[in-house]
Amino acid sequence: MSAAVRSRAAATAAISAVRRIHAGRVASEQQNQSPGYRRPWAYFRRRQQQSLPRVAPAFQDAQADRGTGASDVGGEPPEIWRQPGEAPGARAGTVGRIDVVRVASGGGGDEKDGDGSGGGWGGSNLGNQFPTPKEICRGLDKFVIGQERAKKVLSVAVYNHYKRVSCESFSSRSAGDSSESDTDMVELEKSNILVMGPTGSGKTLLAKTLARFVNVPFVIADATTLTQAGYVGEDVESILYKLLAAADFDIAAAQQGIVYIDEVDKITKKAESINLSRDVSGEGVQQALLKMLEGTVVSVPEKGARRHPRGDNIQIDTKNILFICGGAFVDLEKTISERRHDSSIGFGAPVRSNMRTGSVVNAEITSTLLESVESGDLIAYGLIPEFVGRFPVLVSLSSLSEDQLVEVLTKPKNALGRQYTKLFGMNDVKLHFTEKALRLIAKRAISKNTGARGLRSILETILTEAMYEIPETRTGKDKIDAVVVDEESVGSVNQHGFGAKILSGEGALDLYLDKQNKESVQVRQSDGEPEVDAETPSRVANM
């Protein structure tokens, strides 16, 4: 027998052996695998449950209940998604289920436990009890200083969103009623909002504050991480998955939510040039967001990963999801100035030649020009016309003045002064700011041209040495009683100060204030002013 014949016979025998092994494996899998579990992860979970010891029926009910409704906070999405219009726990038929009802009051965010008879997220469950625009604006006033125009626009937008969702739910309940008028057949469409303003003016803070007391799912997404489908980065569907997670994976609640996309000015298309590469993080992201912003049914991956042709997806209708986009839009004021043909004649008028160059423009001039922004300016900046057309409401935020920056330090519930007062209070140390020091801090923040964001940087520089010394354990006269920030601590606008003053000993702050009061009275008497019972113009941060 030749070598060729022997090799052919050996190959035939090997192929037959492989076929027999494969047929045996297929038969064993068909014998062991349940027909109801075809996915590998489900089959593995089924086998794992079979191998575990038998547990109590109450625990089994809890496990079944967890799979049918909203997952635990920070947990995994449920295996069986609750569809719109489906009662909680309807599929599993569990008894004694407790649903978490999230209905926020004016202060926001209170959670109440219901008995399953009604409730849930706001929207269709609100009826006619949703807050008015003035109530929403008053809630924003507690945390945000200034920006009255932006507060009114956002308050009206959220109020109209409540009405639209309530109207949709009422129309679905009365769909079978034949006595409908022409007004009842009108569909209310949403009005997306585009917020612009210089850095540190409060765009992101407005969104975070709004999320405190709206009783619909609210999520804040970052546009800088988004890329076109198929490239490294997050797909635009990841925004809706975050909204699902905020709604405890309730699809009906997520379809009534609000999405805030921050840093949208970072996805503008690049300058027109002959370039064969695709703009996957700019114009490609805008094109991917178009149908989602307008309203369509989007397929979202079940586990939050990338879309896969054979993966499981959840269908979400974005028709009733309100989108709010925000961005700084740096140098947009130069485009507006070119369109308006602003003159350089007059005192205080910005010189157009300086605006054409890359020099820094005053934040006050920037906010004034942004008030007259038009859609054409945004298109010239790099947004495609289809993207701009889906934002009928354009809102510009103004830069903060010196008085407003002083209020940012002391007045809001989450003011910077209160934050540092609480930080020092954890070491039983008082923190004291004089009025002149607060004014100097605000002036230095304006000179930095970074708005309210520059306040924290300045305070960190002033208080670093004090925060370094305070944690040391001291007793008697060496015990630190208070930290004082005065004009010497801050310095001037262009020069750093000496840092905060550390006062040691029992009652050191009271002695310091008495000394300052006596000096102020002596100065007034020397100037010929009448003596009054006046205190040093100072302000304690925890007022």
Side-chain angles (χ1 to χ4, degrees):
M1 184 182 294
S2 63
V5 175
R6 287 197 300 270
S7 62
R8 190 179 300 110
T12 304
I15 292 174
S16 301
V18 170
R19 288 177 178 175
R20 287 195 300 271
I21 293 173
H22 179 68
R25 289 181 178 177
V26 170
S28 62
E29 289 180 359
Q30 291 178 352
Q31 183 178 1
N32 296 330
Q33 185 175 359
S34 175
Y37 296 87
R38 303 210 177 261
R39 290 181 291 185
W41 60 270
Y43 173 65
F44 173 76
R45 180 177 295 181
R46 177 65 174 174
R47 293 294 301 273
Q48 190 178 23
Q49 291 176 355
Q50 290 176 355
S51 61
L52 291 175
R54 187 173 182 83
V55 295
F59 180 77
Q60 291 179 350
D61 293 341
Q63 293 293 328
D65 178 53
R66 180 177 298 178
T68 57
S71 67
D72 296 335
V73 177
E76 298 229 346
E79 296 179 19
I80 303 176
W81 292 78
R82 187 191 307 171
Q83 299 298 324
E86 186 177 33
R91 295 193 178 190
T94 57
V95 180
R97 175 181 174 84
I98 298 178
D99 294 322
V100 177
V101 181
R102 301 196 174 189
V103 178
S105 59
D110 295 337
E111 294 187 2
K112 296 183 284 186
D113 291 337
D115 56 358
S117 59
W121 285 99
S124 59
N125 297 312
L126 286 174
N128 295 324
Q129 302 300 323
F130 36 81
T132 63
K134 289 188 177 181
E135 294 176 354
I136 299 174
C137 190
R138 282 195 292 267
L140 292 175
D141 289 336
K142 297 179 182 179
F143 296 90
V144 185
I145 298 297
Q147 314 302 351
E148 301 301 329
R149 167 67 179 168
K151 289 178 185 176
K152 290 181 180 179
V153 172
L154 291 177
S155 302
V156 171
V158 174
Y159 177 74
N160 289 338
H161 180 69
Y162 287 152
K163 290 199 297 184
R164 183 174 62 252
V165 170
S166 178
C167 180
E168 288 285 337
S169 61
F170 178 77
S171 300
S172 61
R173 288 195 297 265
S174 60
D177 191 2
S178 59
S179 61
E180 291 184 355
S181 61
D182 296 338
T183 308
D184 297 334
M185 300 300 294
V186 176
E187 295 184 1
L188 300 177
E189 296 183 356
K190 60 184 178 181
S191 298
N192 298 324
I193 304 172
L194 181 61
V195 182
M196 299 161 288
T199 178
S201 57
K203 299 181 296 296
T204 308
L205 180 61
L206 278 171
K208 290 181 179 179
T209 307
L210 204 61
R212 290 174 181 265
F213 46 81
V214 294
N215 40 8
V216 292
F218 192 103
V219 67
I220 300 177
D222 189 5
T224 58
T225 61
L226 301 177
T227 56
Q228 196 172 352
Y231 292 86
V232 176
E234 296 184 3
D235 296 339
V236 295
E237 289 80 11
S238 63
I239 298 176
L240 297 181
Y241 183 81
K242 294 176 183 177
L243 187 63
L244 271 173
D248 292 336
F249 300 99
D250 187 348
I251 298 178
Q255 292 180 162
Q256 302 172 0
I258 301 175
V259 175
Y260 179 85
I261 305 177
D262 203 1
E263 306 294 346
V264 75
D265 57 319
K266 308 303 186 295
I267 60 172
T268 55
K269 63 180 181 180
K270 305 301 183 291
E272 297 293 342
S273 61
I274 302 176
N275 193 354
L276 299 179
S277 61
R278 303 182 66 180
D279 187 10
V280 298
S281 62
E283 186 177 359
V285 177
Q286 297 183 47
Q287 294 173 353
L289 286 171
L290 291 179
K291 296 302 293 182
M292 183 186 299
L293 294 173
E294 186 177 3
T296 186
V297 178
V298 181
S299 298
V300 180
E302 187 180 36
K303 298 297 180 180
R306 286 186 171 276
R307 280 192 303 177
H308 193 272
R310 300 180 181 179
D312 296 325
N313 298 323
I314 305 102
Q315 305 295 322
I316 298 179
D317 190 0
T318 64
K319 180 179 65 174
N320 289 326
I321 298 178
L322 179 65
F323 288 89
I324 305 173
C325 292
F329 291 91
V330 181
D331 294 338
L332 178 61
E333 68 277 1
K334 300 178 181 179
T335 305
I336 301 174
S337 179
E338 291 292 332
R339 172 179 59 82
R340 292 174 51 182
H341 301 289
D342 289 337
S343 174
S344 300
I345 301 175
F347 294 102
V351 181
R352 294 185 63 203
S353 60
N354 292 341
M355 297 190 70
R356 293 192 191 99
T357 60
S359 60
V360 178
V361 183
N362 191 352
E364 186 177 356
I365 299 174
T366 300
S367 58
T368 303
L369 289 173
L370 287 179
E371 292 178 357
S372 59
V373 67
E374 295 181 358
S375 301
D377 302 325
L378 296 173
I379 296 173
Y381 189 81
L383 297 178
I384 59 178
E386 305 95 307
F387 187 83
V388 177
R390 283 163 171 79
F391 291 93
V393 182
L394 302 179
V395 186
S396 62
L397 274 67
S398 59
S399 60
L400 299 177
S401 62
E402 180 181 332
D403 294 335
Q404 290 175 338
L405 288 175
V406 173
E407 292 180 356
V408 169
L409 287 169
T410 56
K411 280 193 174 182
K413 283 188 174 182
N414 201 27
L416 281 175
R418 296 186 179 186
Q419 294 181 29
Y420 283 100
T421 300
K422 182 177 180 180
L423 196 64
F424 280 75
M426 296 173 69
N427 297 100
D428 295 330
V429 176
K430 306 180 186 68
L431 180 62
H432 182 82
F433 290 93
T434 64
E435 184 71 24
K436 293 182 179 179
L438 294 174
R439 292 286 173 183
L440 285 174
I441 293 173
K443 290 179 181 178
R444 288 190 59 183
I446 292 175
S447 65
K448 285 177 173 288
N449 212 29
T450 54
R453 296 185 186 274
L455 296 174
R456 182 177 290 275
S457 174
I458 297 171
L459 289 177
E460 285 287 340
T461 304
I462 296 172
L463 299 173
T464 298
E465 189 66 26
M467 290 187 288
Y468 179 77
E469 295 290 341
I470 284 175
E472 291 293 329
T473 304
R474 304 170 190 266
T475 57
K477 294 182 179 180
D478 296 333
K479 183 180 179 181
I480 299 177
D481 180 62
V483 174
V484 176
V485 179
D486 56 5
E487 51 269 31
E488 294 180 358
S489 305
V490 181
S492 61
V493 176
N494 300 322
Q495 186 178 3
H496 292 284
F498 299 103
K501 295 179 179 180
I502 300 176
L503 305 180
S504 301
E506 190 70 25
L509 179 60
D510 297 333
L511 295 175
Y512 174 82
L513 294 177
D514 292 339
K515 181 181 177 181
Q516 296 297 320
N517 290 338
K518 292 178 182 178
E519 291 179 357
S520 63
V521 170
Q522 292 176 1
V523 170
R524 292 186 179 184
Q525 288 178 353
S526 62
D527 293 340
E529 297 181 3
E531 184 176 351
V532 293
D533 187 12
E535 296 182 355
T536 303
S538 59
R539 188 175 305 187
V540 180
N542 58 357
M543 290 178 59

